[in-house]
Amino acid sequence: RALDRLAYEDAAERFNRALQALGLAGAEDEAGRVLLARGDALLRGGELEAARAAFTQARALALRRCDHALLAEAALGFAGLGIAIVDLDAEAIARLEEALERVESQSLRSRVQARLAVELYYAPDRTRSDLHSADAVASARASGDTSALASALSARHVALWRPDRIDERLAVAGEMIAAAREAGDRHAELQGRNWRVADLFELGQMDAWGEETARHARLAAELRLPAFEWYTPLWAAMEATLTGRYEDAERLSAEAEEAGMRAGDRNAGVLVGIGRFCSALEREAFGEMDVAFVEEKIANSPAGIAYRGGYTWMLAGLGETERAREELHVAMKLNHAFDANWLSLQAELAEASVLLGDATFAATLYERLAPYAGRPVTAGRAACCFGAVDRTLGGLAALLGRQSGAARHLDDAIRLNDTFGCVVWRMRAERDLSRLVRDGPLVS
């Protein structure tokens, strides 16, 4: 009844009393389902560490009793409620792989494989995530379990997170929402809406994006799920940044960071940090940027390469020409995984090239970015936007001496940024076009 009232803290305490009662009765071996239920209630209440302790107890019991279904459920619970694509959680991966070796139920196997696909997104071998997610979808469809299908489609969405698969991802998110609604799984529906928000933002469909963020906010509030509620101020902060309301953006970012950290969501610090970094780049406030945040990510994150572009742009903006040029040349020689971070990385390196007046890689970057003309450059889960790709293409074209092409790209950027609601980036495109007409080759 407490869970039905969304009173997660109350439910967790009552499950704890049930565990105590089982202990007094000498029936600890019957505690598996109660441990899972307590862990789930704690997760929903934002108590990540306590939840993981409950799932660890469930795992120990499952191994002792050779209960493979319990082992799988414990591994899924340990991996968490929301989806944080931040780093490689070695312990979560190990537990999921352990369960996958033993689980027999087709639908449960699909769920384990789906979550493993998510956790492996940043693995050195990116094909593992793709293969596991595809297998999870096939198994879920074969089982006829719509809840398992929703989970598998979520994993498939993660595996497809690269700029050329956006239309497919949007379709997957829609199918996930439909499957979740059919299964009566409102949490899975919320995750599907979370994906749709990111997809619509990447496509620059801002009217639909606004409608979807509102649906997401209502459902997250109705379900009282802290792991999702903090996205509401995060996305509001992003919208404020794009319209130049920077004080509002910082207030909302702080609210999102506090709520996300309280929920134990590993996405919170990263996405809020990306949003602030983006805001500083938009304002050309290079001296205000959190250098330590970016350098730590470059050094320690499996997505470290993704932060090098913004870092190079920042150094160029600070006038540290030699360091920026060195970073640019190093970054362009590294492997750029074709993933969720690829498009923003190319755009950031292009911006640095333009600021430096360094045309060494301009043709390469132009060729990479040209297929995405007409779209905004985004990063994170709708946490950052640099406006239309076309403005960046204009800068590269000018750097290459293609003045008429540069003017055409900048004209497109002005129109597109107006459509996207990117007020500041539209003004930047107008400024760049004015300089191009006045001075010739663009340095912005």
Side-chain angles (χ1 to χ4, degrees):
R1 287 198 300 270
L3 285 176
D4 287 343
R5 296 197 314 272
L6 310 182
Y8 302 125
E9 298 84 356
D10 185 22
E13 176 54 30
R14 292 178 185 278
F15 287 129
N16 192 46
R17 292 182 192 177
L19 290 170
Q20 292 171 358
L22 286 168
L24 289 169
E28 291 91 342
D29 280 1
E30 306 304 319
R33 306 309 300 178
V34 184
L35 284 166
L36 293 177
R38 174 171 161 76
D40 183 64
L42 288 165
L43 276 181
R44 292 173 186 275
E47 300 290 336
L48 180 62
E49 292 307 314
R52 283 195 153 189
F55 291 122
T56 296
Q57 287 180 270
R59 171 180 175 269
L61 177 58
L63 290 172
R64 188 165 69 246
R65 301 194 63 185
C66 296
D67 187 335
H68 299 159
L70 178 60
L71 185 67
E73 294 282 8
L76 288 166
F78 188 87
L81 187 65
I83 292 180
I85 309 172
V86 177
D87 51 27
L88 290 170
D89 187 333
E91 184 61 29
I93 291 170
R95 294 190 184 200
L96 289 164
E97 289 178 334
E98 175 184 63
L100 190 61
E101 290 177 359
R102 295 168 171 80
V103 69
E104 296 152 4
S105 160
Q106 190 173 40
S107 62
L108 191 51
R109 181 178 180 80
S110 170
R111 290 174 57 210
V112 172
Q113 206 164 17
R115 187 66 196 211
L116 185 57
V118 171
E119 297 296 332
L120 289 171
Y121 182 74
Y122 279 134
D125 180 2
R126 298 297 176 90
T127 62
R128 293 181 66 196
S129 179
D130 189 25
L131 292 171
H132 276 304
S133 68
D135 286 348
V137 171
S139 294
R141 291 194 195 283
S143 73
D145 184 332
T146 51
S147 181
L149 178 59
S151 176
L153 289 168
S154 184
R156 190 64 185 151
H157 187 282
V158 171
L160 294 171
W161 206 344
R162 39 187 268 187
D164 63 334
R165 308 295 287 274
I166 179 62
D167 292 329
E168 190 175 351
R169 271 188 282 133
L170 189 60
V172 166
E175 187 182 358
M176 178 185 174
I177 292 169
R181 290 174 70 88
E182 183 178 343
D185 188 340
R186 302 188 78 201
H187 164 231
E189 179 188 347
L190 182 55
Q191 181 63 69
R193 296 203 176 281
N194 191 278
W195 292 138
R196 266 183 60 82
V197 168
D199 296 340
L200 293 167
F201 191 72
E202 285 185 46
L203 286 168
Q205 296 181 13
M206 300 308 288
D207 289 342
W209 179 77
E211 293 171 1
E212 197 60 57
T213 57
R215 292 189 193 97
H216 184 282
R218 286 195 298 270
L219 187 52
E222 286 173 16
L223 297 178
R224 280 193 63 227
L225 289 175
F228 289 90
E229 287 178 306
W230 71 272
Y231 280 98
T232 300
L234 176 80
W235 292 329
M238 183 68 264
E239 189 170 26
T241 298
L242 293 179
T243 55
R245 295 181 289 112
Y246 298 117
E247 289 186 5
D248 289 343
E250 179 50 37
R251 174 180 54 79
L252 290 161
S253 293
E255 181 184 334
E257 185 172 32
E258 181 183 355
M261 292 297 191
R262 194 167 56 243
D265 193 326
R266 291 178 298 147
N267 280 317
V270 174
L271 294 185
V272 171
I274 289 172
R276 284 178 171 143
F277 198 77
C278 175
S279 171
L281 287 170
E282 180 177 285
R283 292 180 287 118
E284 298 178 292
F286 301 106
E288 297 177 17
M289 302 177 82
D290 188 346
V291 178
F293 168 80
V294 182
E295 290 180 340
E296 189 279 327
K297 294 301 177 187
I298 290 173
N300 300 313
S301 171
I305 181 63
Y307 294 88
R308 296 194 83 114
Y311 185 63
T312 306
W313 185 359
M314 177 196 70
L315 291 173
L318 288 170
E320 297 189 28
T321 304
E322 290 309 311
R323 281 187 64 197
R325 198 181 306 279
E326 181 181 341
E327 283 292 330
L328 173 64
H329 285 245
V330 168
M332 287 299 296
K333 292 175 183 176
L334 296 174
N335 175 50
H336 297 184
F338 196 42
D339 59 15
N341 307 309
W342 184 89
L343 186 60
S344 59
L345 172 60
Q346 310 312 311
E348 289 159 2
L349 291 170
E351 295 288 347
S353 296
V354 172
L355 272 177
L356 292 168
D358 186 335
T360 307
F361 306 104
T364 298
L365 290 165
Y366 184 93
E367 183 180 349
R368 290 176 180 177
L369 289 167
Y372 303 101
R375 280 173 49 178
V377 179
T378 65
R381 208 173 297 188
C384 174
C385 179
F386 297 133
V389 173
D390 306 72
R391 190 188 70 83
T392 307
L393 288 168
L396 291 170
L399 191 59
L400 291 165
R402 306 170 187 170
Q403 304 308 307
S404 60
R408 190 164 56 251
H409 282 308
L410 290 170
D411 271 330
D412 289 342
I414 292 166
R415 173 181 52 80
L416 288 163
N417 283 327
D418 195 49
T419 301
F420 298 154
C422 297
V423 175
V424 180
W425 292 109
R426 185 200 69 215
M427 293 168 62
R428 292 277 295 277
E430 289 170 342
R431 185 189 72 182
D432 291 347
L433 182 59
S434 176
R435 286 182 179 178
L436 179 69
V437 172
R438 185 187 67 221
D439 303 329
L442 174 69
V443 178
S444 95

